[in-house]
Amino acid sequence: MDEEETFSARCNPEMVHMQPLADPVEIAELKEMVENHVRYTGSLNGKRVLDHWEILSAKFVRVIPKAYLKINERISKLQDSGMEKFDAEMAAFEESKMASAGK
């Protein structure tokens, strides 16, 4: 959660992609995670977040490693070309591994 809106300044934009949460399903999953966190830990900060969910839920930031996005894009392309999911995942992983070894 980025209440002070300073997270992007402390994050390496070359390594990750940041975006606000917009998908209602993901927002509901996040709320459930916070609820579970409060239930299991008694977190006062978690309770505060839930008490002000309508305001504070907009302060969460989705952080996705760019390498993850790249490999998922490659898997999709391989599947679109007719490759089965498992084979596409293995091929994309091997390509990524070979590219990393070449650096």
Side-chain angles (χ1 to χ4, degrees), residues 7-23:
F7 183 75
S8 62
R10 296 180 285 130
C11 207
N12 183 348
E14 292 181 21
M15 300 288 293
V16 297
H17 176 72
M18 293 172 281
Q19 64 189 50
L21 292 178
D23 181 357

Side-chain angles (χ1 to χ4, degrees), residues 62-76:
R62 172 198 283 236
V63 180
I64 306 171
K66 288 187 177 180
Y68 178 81
L69 292 173
K70 186 176 180 180
I71 202 161
N72 275 344
E73 182 179 298
R74 184 64 183 141
I75 291 167
S76 291

Side-chain angles (χ1 to χ4, degrees), residues 21 33 49 81:
L21 292 178
M33 285 187 248
V49 169
S81 72

Side-chain angles (χ1 to χ4, degrees), residues 35-51:
E35 289 168 340
N36 287 336
H37 174 70
V38 170
R39 184 177 313 112
Y40 296 130
T41 68
S43 169
L44 295 177
N45 192 43
K47 182 169 178 359
R48 180 182 65 84
V49 169
L50 292 172
D51 289 345

